[in-house]
Amino acid sequence: MDINEKKVPEVVVRRLPRYYRYLDELDREGKMRISSTALSKKMGVTASQIRQDFNYFGGFGQQGYGYNVKHLLTELKKLLGITKGYKVVIIGAGNLGHAIANYGGLKKRGFKLCGIFDSDKEKIGQKVGGIEISDISGAREFIAENNVDIAILTLPKNETEKVAEMLADSGIKGFWNFSYTELKSIDSVFVENVHLTDSLMTLSFKINQR
Amino acid sequence: MDINEKKVPEVVVRRLPRYYRYLDELDREGKMRISSTALSKKMGVTASQIRQDFNYFGGFGQQGYGYNVKHLLTELKKLLGITKGYKVVIIGAGNLGHAIANYGGLKKRGFKLCGIFDSDKEKIGQKVGGIEISDISGAREFIAENNVDIAILTLPKNETEKVAEMLADSGIKGFWNFSYTELKSIDSVFVENVHLTDSLMTLSFKINQR
């Protein structure tokens, strides 16, 4: 599978996890093939858009015969790094940190949780999802020594930038930021800011329009 | 403000909360006006796309002079139902339910949390964010009597459909579903399924492509 030289547009990148989820569902249901028309209906994207999306990654399948579900799923997993077993740590052992640590979806998508950090003395030493909470002052060293790929930031807003700066040159490759502050991408670290309430506002828009 | 007869495309609806967040930020910084070019840069969307988006809602401002930040923000708030004070309840008082109950962003965006429900006898009676956890068996009646608009579902996957069915005819208008199961929209209830790991996979795609 060759990735085209052209940069993949952000909007296409954001559709990949959805393709993955749908294909994973089809695979669990035992479906072997899916036509681009059927996939198009499920995704709410035109069949031609799907072909354009997949062309960034070499096409993925034969038109007319549809797509081979297992093959497409495997290719999507490779693209999304699900086969890489990326190591993650959680920074911030509050309610959200606990919820993410206990969420089976991380493991299912190939991510390996290997550390949880907090600054609260009362939390340090307690266990979450089988992992002991460590002092945040040791996070940078832990990340560097264990080649951790992604730090999940579930910190209060006012602590996030400071901690992100502290971790920036630890070798970390990405921040998954839940801290309701817009972290700017740092040179070597990709940032994905999660805005939970965006989807609540989308819902409330629809209710409001009815 | 007149909304065009044309149905607003989903992709436009999904940009509205982002417009709202950026405008809110500009307003906090004391900015009075923003050009469509500057807004375009911030949003990563072309200026012509922004004009097209806003045309669904009557335009919002004069080209050439740019947009009046306060006016645009006010119109977006109205559209998104932020000015409506929608009532919400949380169904499921686990870690995620706690995290959402304690999150200031709900209130900031005008949503009024007025109930939390769980089936766990040990949790019932405890307080979260100043609200007492009630028995889930009373949720349907509570929603009907208090005209609750949105139920936030933070339940285990295998309980979600059952509970959604139980609440479907309570007068509830929307489900904000965190339960990692794809709830289908019911006749009278809008559903917004949250897929947290989509953005983690987007991050991991980018790391993987480097």
Side-chain angles (χ1 to χ4, degrees):
Chain A
M1 175 198 58
D2 293 319
I3 295 185
N4 272 333
E5 292 298 308
K6 291 182 283 184
K7 197 181 173 307
V8 186
E10 184 74 12
V11 62
V12 177
V13 174
R14 295 202 172 270
R15 272 198 288 269
L16 295 177
R18 286 184 56 215
Y19 286 123
Y20 161 78
R21 277 193 283 109
Y22 285 122
L23 269 297
D24 188 49
E25 206 181 299
L26 289 170
D27 186 45
R28 274 159 211 276
E29 290 167 1
K31 294 258 170 68
M32 309 287 282
R33 298 196 79 81
I34 184 162
S35 68
S36 57
T37 318
L39 188 56
S40 152
K41 273 191 193 153
K42 246 185 154 352
M43 290 282 300
V45 172
T46 64
S48 113
Q49 184 67 68
I50 291 179
R51 281 189 294 271
Q52 277 180 47
D53 286 359
F54 289 178
N55 273 338
Y56 282 99
F57 313 104
F60 286 151
Q62 289 146 324
Q63 293 174 33
Y65 294 91
Y67 298 98
N68 177 310
V69 170
K70 266 214 192 310
H71 172 69
L72 187 46
L73 185 60
T74 305
E75 294 299 307
L76 284 167
K77 277 183 180 173
K78 278 190 221 162
L79 277 174
L80 291 167
I82 289 176
T83 50
K84 288 286 175 76
Y86 284 133
K87 288 183 186 171
V88 304
V89 293
I90 295 174
I91 316 281
N95 287 313
L96 189 57
H98 276 73
I100 294 172
N102 288 316
Y103 166 48
L106 276 192
K107 202 175 178 182
K108 191 181 147 194
R109 280 155 181 75
F111 299 96
K112 289 181 184 154
L113 179 61
C114 57
I116 304 176
F117 298 87
D118 204 289
S119 58
D120 184 344
K121 293 273 179 289
E122 296 205 359
K123 286 181 183 161
I124 295 166
Q126 287 182 16
K127 280 199 171 181
V128 189
I131 293 172
E132 201 168 287
I133 301 173
S134 302
D135 192 320
I136 199 168
S137 65
R140 198 172 161 283
E141 207 181 327
F142 182 91
I143 288 170
E145 279 180 3
N146 294 280
N147 297 311
V148 175
D149 301 286
I150 295 170
I152 305 175
L153 306 179
T154 60
L155 293 155
K157 198 170 170 165
N158 56 349
E159 292 173 25
T160 301
E161 269 188 57
K162 205 176 54 190
V163 170
E165 274 174 32
M166 176 182 87
L167 301 181
D169 67 346
S170 62
I172 201 81
K173 299 187 187 94
F175 290 133
W176 194 28
N177 176 30
F178 282 83
S179 309
Y180 310 112
T181 179
E182 192 91 3
L183 272 188
K184 306 275 179 273
S185 275
I186 309 161
D187 273 354
S188 53
V189 190
F190 290 106
V191 176
E192 187 68 21
N193 295 301
V194 180
H195 296 283
L196 275 188
T197 45
D198 278 14
S199 70
L200 177 59
M201 288 193 277
T202 302
L203 180 63
S204 122
F205 171 86
K206 291 175 183 173
I207 292 171
N208 195 27
Q209 298 307 306
R210 172 164 280 169
Chain B
M1 176 200 56
D2 293 320
I3 294 184
N4 272 333
E5 291 299 307
K6 290 182 283 185
K7 196 180 175 304
V8 186
E10 184 74 13
V11 61
V12 177
V13 174
R14 296 203 171 269
R15 272 197 287 270
L16 294 177
R18 286 182 56 215
Y19 286 123
Y20 161 78
R21 278 192 283 109
Y22 286 122
L23 269 297
D24 187 49
E25 206 180 301
L26 289 170
D27 187 45
R28 275 158 209 276
E29 290 166 3
K31 294 258 171 68
M32 309 287 281
R33 298 196 78 81
I34 184 163
S35 68
S36 58
T37 318
L39 188 57
S40 151
K41 273 190 193 154
K42 244 184 156 350
M43 290 282 301
V45 171
T46 65
S48 114
Q49 183 67 68
I50 291 179
R51 282 190 293 269
Q52 279 180 46
D53 286 359
F54 288 178
N55 273 339
Y56 282 101
F57 313 105
F60 286 150
Q62 289 147 325
Q63 293 174 34
Y65 295 91
Y67 298 98
N68 176 309
V69 169
K70 265 212 193 311
H71 173 69
L72 186 46
L73 184 60
T74 305
E75 294 299 307
L76 284 167
K77 277 183 180 172
K78 279 191 221 161
L79 276 174
L80 290 168
I82 289 176
T83 51
K84 289 285 176 76
Y86 284 133
K87 288 184 186 169
V88 304
V89 293
I90 295 174
I91 317 280
N95 287 311
L96 188 57
H98 276 73
I100 294 173
N102 288 315
Y103 166 49
L106 277 192
K107 204 176 178 181
K108 192 181 147 194
R109 279 155 182 76
F111 298 96
K112 289 181 184 152
L113 179 62
C114 56
I116 304 177
F117 298 87
D118 204 290
S119 59
D120 184 344
K121 293 274 178 289
E122 298 206 358
K123 286 181 184 161
I124 296 166
Q126 286 182 17
K127 279 198 171 183
V128 190
I131 293 172
E132 202 168 287
I133 301 173
S134 302
D135 193 319
I136 198 167
S137 65
R140 199 173 160 282
E141 207 181 327
F142 182 91
I143 288 169
E145 280 180 3
N146 295 279
N147 297 312
V148 175
D149 301 286
I150 295 170
I152 305 176
L153 307 178
T154 60
L155 293 154
K157 198 170 170 164
N158 56 347
E159 292 174 24
T160 302
E161 270 187 58
K162 206 175 53 191
V163 170
E165 274 173 32
M166 174 183 88
L167 302 180
D169 67 346
S170 62
I172 200 83
K173 300 188 186 92
F175 289 132
W176 195 29
N177 176 30
F178 283 83
S179 309
Y180 310 112
T181 179
E182 192 91 3
L183 272 189
K184 306 278 178 272
S185 275
I186 308 160
D187 272 354
S188 53
V189 191
F190 291 105
V191 176
E192 187 69 21
N193 295 301
V194 181
H195 295 283
L196 277 188
T197 45
D198 278 14
S199 71
L200 177 58
M201 288 192 277
T202 302
L203 180 62
S204 122
F205 171 86
K206 290 175 184 173
I207 292 171
N208 195 26
Q209 297 307 307
R210 174 164 277 170

